[in-house]
Amino acid sequence: MNTLLTFSLTLLFSSLVWSGYLEYDQDVLIPDDWNHGGRVDPTDQLELTFALKQQNSDLLESILGLVSDPDSGLYGKYLTLDEVSSLVRPSKLTQKVVHHWLQSHGITNCLTVLTQDFLQCSMTAAVAEKLLPGSNFHRYTRDGHSEVRSSAPYSVHDDVHEHLDFVGGLHRLPPKGQDLSQASSHREMKQSEAGVHLGVTPAILRARYNLTAADVGTAQNNSQAVAQFLEQYYSPADLAEFMGMYGRSFQHLSQVDRVVGTQGEGKAGIEASLDVEYIMSTGANISTWVFTNPGRHESQEPFLQWMFLLSNMSDLPWVHTISYGDDEDSLSTAYMMRVNTEFMKAGVRGISLLFASGDSGAGCRHLGKENSFRPSFPASSPYVTTVGGTSFKNPFKVTYEVTDYISGGGFSNVFKMPDYQASAVDGYLKTEAATLPPQAYFNTSGRAYPDLAALSDNYWVVINKVPVPWVSGTSASTPVVGGMLSLINDQRLLQGLPVLGFLNPRLYKLKGKAMFDVTEGCHLSCLDEQVQGKGFCAAPSWDPVTGWGTPNYPELLAALLAE
């Protein structure tokens, strides 16, 4: 039988019929801020990631719904990585076909993951271009960083097409990180005239969200993580300095317990510092990991690297916060659908994934004479919790919060609205119908985001041993919320309860209970005659700018401890 199969596969790949484009709608244009460095040498080594078709993705989604719904008898009954693997592992035929296809091109240096649905393989550029007709590898540089990508779409052999979701390492250059120090530069000028504003620190956050000195982690089996995909790293010395300056009023840790990946050399990155310093301030005294990947191969996609790790590590932190996003329309549907499955794999294991909603408001896509709003992914994924941003009404006092005009939000053009939010979003669309932007700008039936929010304006960060003010963005609000969810997990674990896992079904059932509702302010969008730079506006209950609002920690803790 095996001999016959091998003979059949050999015949299968001797055919030279190539027409299968896996990512036909992937944007292959190279952004203007990348400089062309020429064709790669045919002998240069590349590292590509093959996403093998999984089994039972519909069943995986059903299980996620059951383990995440507090009204389900299976709530909190999470799967192990081995159980997830048994569920989604590609069929034996898929594995054989893909392995043989690679081996027929002399590709044998491959790593896989426990779930066997990713292969990461090394090969020369010449072999890669033969394996993936149409591909054309070039080197591109930006800000001293070099990446290798294909400037043209790739295809795969017809008979492999049905066994792969996509191949990673050909497209999707890393998006440019928000310049967080400039995110509020005009706010700095405006406010400094009126006097000194001290800005947001851990003490300010803990006061606003009603965390006491006793609200710190104590459970042994609890942990949290931030993931970095930009070419930057956090500085242990900066973290220690930050906690020494701003953590005196509560018990805390001053060092990261585990770094997964390679710490870079040189100066620390402002976003890396922000993420670590603030998840460890609200999620105080909880073991913290950092996923980072400077030093990766220049043909690897950093976000894919992180997902590869999630599928290969049985022991992971319960909460991950990620400040990363790209325009939905710049990514292929096949890629986003597969990434969603990876999020579901994490959710059924009890892992909470929090993504920043972005710093471009509703966004804007220019299509000839017509404009439309521009949703961001993974913020628009139905399987993650998305965090927007707010500002204090009075920037000099701990007051109620209003919309931060940069807070990302809107409606997906790719993913339909999940059942858990349909009632809340429908309520917003009906109640605010008279003031909504024109319907041509957004998809009323798409997944709506964010789900909740926190302060995102005017943070203090210690970077390269110096306290720096005026750091802003949803990159700040996301770890702040993540830390609070870690504290709630801590209390649940101490009471013998399962961790929160995928929060959204439970969050939407609370209907705004335990949240500070944000009802003032609008975020930015297209600068055109029709909307004049105004996107959606905050409103009572849920809205696509700040979600359900910001956490009132003791009330949220009580609501999420109730069984």
Side-chain angles (χ1 to χ4, degrees):
M1 180 68 189
N2 285 350
T3 313
L4 183 62
L5 181 63
T6 307
F7 177 68
S8 308
L9 288 168
T10 308
L11 282 179
L12 195 125
F13 293 117
S14 62
S15 157
L16 290 176
V17 181
W18 303 90
S19 62
Y21 286 92
L22 291 172
E23 300 185 79
Y24 61 90
D25 55 346
Q26 172 67 47
D27 184 357
V28 298
L29 295 175
I30 303 299
D32 293 338
D33 55 348
W34 288 92
N35 299 311
H36 184 228
R39 284 274 275 151
V40 300
D41 191 278
T43 60
D44 281 359
Q45 285 289 316
L46 305 182
E47 197 158 276
L48 302 182
T49 302
F50 299 85
L52 281 69
K53 273 266 193 283
Q54 297 151 315
Q55 300 189 94
N56 302 315
S57 54
D58 289 346
L59 181 56
L60 179 71
E61 184 171 24
S62 299
I63 293 171
L64 177 64
L66 291 169
V67 299
S68 308
D69 179 357
D71 296 331
S72 156
L74 292 175
Y75 179 68
K77 292 181 167 40
Y78 301 121
L79 306 187
T80 64
L81 181 55
D82 283 333
E83 288 168 336
V84 173
S85 180
S86 298
L87 186 68
V88 303
R89 185 185 295 129
S91 69
K92 283 191 166 59
L93 178 63
T94 288
Q95 292 185 57
K96 277 192 170 172
V97 168
V98 174
H99 280 279
H100 193 93
W101 171 60
L102 294 169
Q103 287 165 6
S104 70
H105 285 80
I107 299 165
T108 54
N109 185 11
C110 297
L111 296 172
T112 189
V113 289
L114 192 65
T115 47
Q116 294 177 16
D117 46 8
F118 283 115
L119 280 173
Q120 208 168 66
C121 303
S122 297
M123 68 203 76
T124 64
V127 167
E129 289 181 0
K130 190 174 177 189
L131 180 77
L132 304 166
S135 63
N136 203 320
F137 288 93
H138 295 251
R139 186 166 276 104
Y140 301 93
T141 58
R142 180 182 67 192
D143 302 335
H145 300 302
S146 173
E147 303 282 349
V148 169
R149 294 291 187 271
S150 171
S151 59
Y154 68 93
S155 62
V156 298
H157 192 288
D158 274 359
D159 294 295
V160 186
H161 191 274
E162 65 184 287
H163 298 287
L164 290 172
D165 284 324
F166 67 87
V167 182
L170 289 97
H171 304 309
R172 293 175 289 275
L173 284 158
K176 195 172 181 70
Q178 170 84 10
D179 188 343
L180 300 169
S181 58
Q182 291 180 5
S184 56
S185 56
H186 67 282
R187 290 187 260 218
E188 179 179 358
M189 292 187 295
K190 179 179 70 180
Q191 291 170 5
S192 58
E193 293 167 8
V196 176
H197 174 231
L198 295 180
V200 175
T201 63
I204 296 285
L205 289 168
R206 293 177 76 87
R208 169 57 187 153
Y209 299 130
N210 293 322
L211 285 101
T212 69
D215 290 314
V216 296
T218 56
Q220 291 299 304
N221 52 343
N222 194 18
S223 55
Q224 59 190 2
V226 296
Q228 305 285 347
F229 308 116
L230 303 171
E231 294 288 322
Q232 54 173 250
Y233 73 104
Y234 89 98
S235 159
D238 287 347
L239 175 60
E241 180 82 6
F242 178 87
M243 287 303 184
M245 292 178 71
Y246 299 118
R248 293 174 191 163
S249 62
F250 54 92
Q251 191 178 349
H252 61 268
L253 300 175
S254 294
Q255 60 187 37
V256 163
D257 275 345
R258 184 169 177 188
V259 175
V260 183
T262 314
Q263 274 278 67
E265 297 296 326
K267 291 186 176 179
I270 198 163
E271 181 152 317
S273 301
L274 175 72
D275 289 352
V276 174
E277 288 166 8
Y278 279 93
I279 196 171
M280 292 180 71
S281 296
T282 51
N285 212 44
I286 293 172
S287 172
T288 303
W289 296 21
V290 173
F291 285 81
T292 184
N293 53 23
R296 68 192 164 80
H297 193 281
E298 59 188 353
S299 62
Q300 288 175 343
E301 294 181 46
F303 187 61
L304 269 184
Q305 283 295 104
W306 172 70
M307 291 199 303
F308 191 86
L309 286 169
L310 292 192
S311 281
N312 215 28
M313 298 178 75
S314 54
D315 180 26
L316 282 170
W318 294 118
V319 172
H320 293 242
T321 78
I322 303 108
S323 305
Y324 169 90
D326 222 334
D327 297 325
E328 261 189 3
D329 56 81
S330 74
L331 303 168
S332 74
T333 305
Y335 171 82
M336 289 187 283
M337 297 301 259
R338 173 56 185 264
V339 169
N340 270 347
T341 305
E342 297 308 306
F343 294 157
M344 287 192 274
K345 281 164 59 180
V348 297
R349 294 171 65 190
I351 295 166
S352 303
L353 300 179
L354 278 71
F355 277 85
S357 70
D359 298 341
S360 303
C364 189
R365 189 180 185 194
H366 307 287
L367 296 165
K369 292 181 180 177
E370 302 296 318
N371 290 332
S372 66
F373 295 158
R374 193 170 208 175
S376 173
F377 182 81
S380 65
S381 168
Y383 309 107
V384 303
T385 299
T386 304
V387 184
T390 61
S391 306
F392 282 127
K393 174 66 172 176
N394 180 336
F396 306 102
K397 291 183 179 176
V398 178
T399 59
Y400 71 91
E401 292 160 77
V402 297
T403 294
D404 186 348
Y405 73 96
I406 63 168
S407 179
F411 294 77
S412 173
N413 289 321
V414 179
F415 311 112
K416 68 180 177 60
M417 189 180 298
D419 291 343
Y420 63 73
Q421 69 169 186
S423 171
V425 179
D426 189 51
Y428 171 81
L429 292 172
K430 283 179 176 164
T431 308
E432 303 301 313
T435 57
L436 286 174
Q439 292 242 339
Y441 280 75
F442 65 103
N443 171 28
T444 54
S445 61
R447 146 66 158 152
Y449 68 97
D451 302 302
L452 74 173
L455 285 161
S456 57
D457 188 17
N458 298 343
Y459 277 64
W460 282 89
V461 175
V462 170
I463 181 160
N464 300 312
K465 297 282 188 74
V466 179
V468 176
W470 309 108
V471 175
S472 297
T474 53
S475 300
S477 54
T478 308
V480 164
V481 172
M484 284 190 266
L485 293 183
S486 288
L487 283 182
I488 295 171
N489 272 344
D490 209 83
Q491 290 299 309
R492 288 182 63 86
L493 289 166
L494 289 171
Q495 295 187 23
L497 299 172
V499 291
L500 292 167
F502 176 44
L503 182 66
N504 291 12
R506 186 158 190 177
L507 176 68
Y508 280 80
K509 283 192 174 182
L510 292 177
K511 297 184 176 176
K513 179 186 174 186
M515 306 295 285
F516 293 116
D517 196 4
V518 178
T519 60
E520 288 182 30
C522 307
H523 63 184
L524 54 88
S525 74
C526 301
L527 282 168
D528 60 23
E529 283 185 24
Q530 278 201 282
V531 295
Q532 298 178 23
K534 187 169 122 179
F536 298 100
C537 297
S541 198
W542 182 91
D543 59 68
V545 191
T546 60
W548 286 108
T550 63
N552 183 355
Y553 176 75
E555 289 192 15
L556 188 62
L557 172 66
L560 294 178
L561 278 179
E563 278 302 290

